[in-house]
Structures are given as structure tokens and as C-alpha cells.
């Protein structure tokens, strides 16, 4: 579109065939790949990671810790979720990320890395609904289509004008 947003992505079996063919071809090209210096590969992956951070919702919410609430970007979760709840959700995510990183970093317990990832599922299904409302979890954690459906439901119900105004403590 004119505002550089994707409307739809057409996935075909042919694209999967090409991707897997290239992966297969890379196995036979290992001698050539070994010629690439490791710092160059680290630089490429670092660049790709840094460029993709701007599209990551968790990173955006983390950066909001250092912003004035009036400067928050216009997103459904900044408009309809209390800012404290949004920051609390981000802190929970950062805590789980820190736990994953800690488990991965220590060789003696790194075998438990998949268990920590698996533990995130019951945390999301059973713990977070006790802390956050269903609407808040939809806005903070759902797919874009589900958020759009929620927004349409609220617009139909006339709740569009009830934006969250954060309370300031003294």
C-alpha cells in the first residue's frame, strides 16, 4: 500500500520447495561457507537483529519505560490498557527472558532450557489470566487479527471513546 504496509502474503508450496532446495544446496557448499570470516557472520546477524528490534512489540514496550506517557506511540495496548498494567506485563516478560538467558548461560543447568520454554505455556494460560483481564491480554498478547476483531467489537459497542488515562501518584 502507499503507507508501506503489507496487506497479504501469498504462501505457496513452490516457495517452500525453493527454501528447502537452498538449504540442501548449502550443505554441499560448506567449503565455500567456511571461507567467510566468523566476525563477518556475527556482524550480519547483529545487523539483522538490530534492524528487526523496531518491529518487536516487547522491545517497544521496554523502550516505553524510558518515555513520558504522553510520548507513547499510538497502539491499541497504549490506548486501552492501563500503563501500569502494560509495564507490569513487560516486566513479567523480561523476567522470563532473563530466566531463559540464565538457564542457557550455565552449562550445568542448560539442559533445562526446553523445560523453561515449556513452562511459559502454563504461565500464559493459567497465571497471567489471574493478573490481567481478558481484554488486556488480547491487546498485549494476541495476534493482529484478534486485536482488530476486539477493536471492531468495542467500536460497535461504543466503547471507542473510553481511553485509558494513567493515574499519577505523588
Amino acid at each position: 500500500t502507499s503507507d508501506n504496509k503489507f496487506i497479504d502474503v501469498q504462501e505457496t508450496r513452490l516457495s517452500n520447495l525453493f527454501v528447502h532446495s537452498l538449504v540442501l544446496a548449502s550443505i554441499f557448499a560448506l567449503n565455500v561457507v567456511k571461507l567467510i570470516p566468523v566476525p563477518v557472520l556475527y556482524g550480519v546477524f547483529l545487523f539483522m537483529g538490530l534492524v528487526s528490534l523496531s518491529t518487536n512489540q516487547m522491545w517497544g514496550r521496554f523502550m516505553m519505560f524510558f518515555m513520558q506517557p504522553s510520548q507513547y506511540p499510538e497502539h491499541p495496548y497504549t490506548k486501552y490498557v492501563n500503563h501500569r498494567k502494560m509495564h507490569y506485563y513487560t516486566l513479567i516478560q523480561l523476567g522470563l527472558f532473563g530466566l531463559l538467558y540464565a538457564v542457557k548461560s550455565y552449562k550445568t543447568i542448560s539442559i533445562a532450557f526446553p523445560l523453561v520454554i515449556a513452562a511459559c505455556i502454563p504461565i500464559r494460560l493459567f497465571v497471567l489470566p489471574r493478573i490481567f483481564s481478558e481484554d488486556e491480554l488480547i491487546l498485549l498478547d494476541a495476534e493482529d487479527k484478534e486485536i482488530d476483531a476486539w477493536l471492531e467489537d468495542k467500536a460497535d459497542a461504543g466503547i471507542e471513546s473510553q481511553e485509558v488515562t494513567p493515574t499519577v501518584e505523588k
Side-chain angles (χ1 to χ4, degrees), residues 8-20:
D8 190 29
V9 175
Q10 183 66 37
E11 187 72 27
T12 65
R13 291 182 180 170
L14 194 58
S15 60
N16 289 330
L17 176 68
F18 286 140
V19 167
H20 289 89

Side-chain angles (χ1 to χ4, degrees), residues 99-117:
L99 177 66
L100 279 170
Y101 190 79
V103 167
K104 176 200 80 71
S105 296
Y106 295 108
K107 290 239 183 236
T108 56
I109 60 172
S110 63
I111 191 82
F113 183 79
L115 297 175
V116 176
I117 291 177

Side-chain angles (χ1 to χ4, degrees), residues 41-110:
L41 293 176
Y42 284 160
V44 168
F45 288 126
L46 178 65
F47 174 76
M48 289 177 8
L50 291 176
V51 167
S52 69
L53 273 180
S54 64
T55 63
N56 187 306
Q57 186 188 108
M58 183 177 144
W59 177 257
R61 284 187 280 108
F62 173 72
M63 294 307 291
M64 285 184 218
F65 280 122
F66 310 105
M67 290 183 194
Q68 291 291 329
S70 61
Q71 300 297 316
Y72 288 170
E74 187 74 21
H75 294 294
Y77 56 86
T78 57
K79 189 174 181 181
Y80 295 103
V81 177
N82 184 299
H83 295 150
R84 280 190 152 177
K85 288 277 207 160
M86 177 183 65
H87 290 315
Y88 187 54
Y89 184 83
T90 306
L91 283 174
I92 291 171
Q93 280 187 311
L94 289 171
L96 289 171
F97 176 74
L99 177 66
L100 279 170
Y101 190 79
V103 167
K104 176 200 80 71
S105 296
Y106 295 108
K107 290 239 183 236
T108 56
I109 60 172
S110 63

Side-chain angles (χ1 to χ4, degrees), residues 17-30:
L17 176 68
F18 286 140
V19 167
H20 289 89
S21 299
L22 289 173
V23 170
L24 178 65
S26 70
I27 292 173
F28 299 111
L30 285 179

Side-chain angles (χ1 to χ4, degrees), residues 113-132:
F113 183 79
L115 297 175
V116 176
I117 291 177
C120 290
I121 297 169
I123 289 171
R124 171 58 178 91
L125 292 176
F126 301 114
V127 176
L128 291 183
R130 294 176 186 258
I131 301 170
F132 303 98

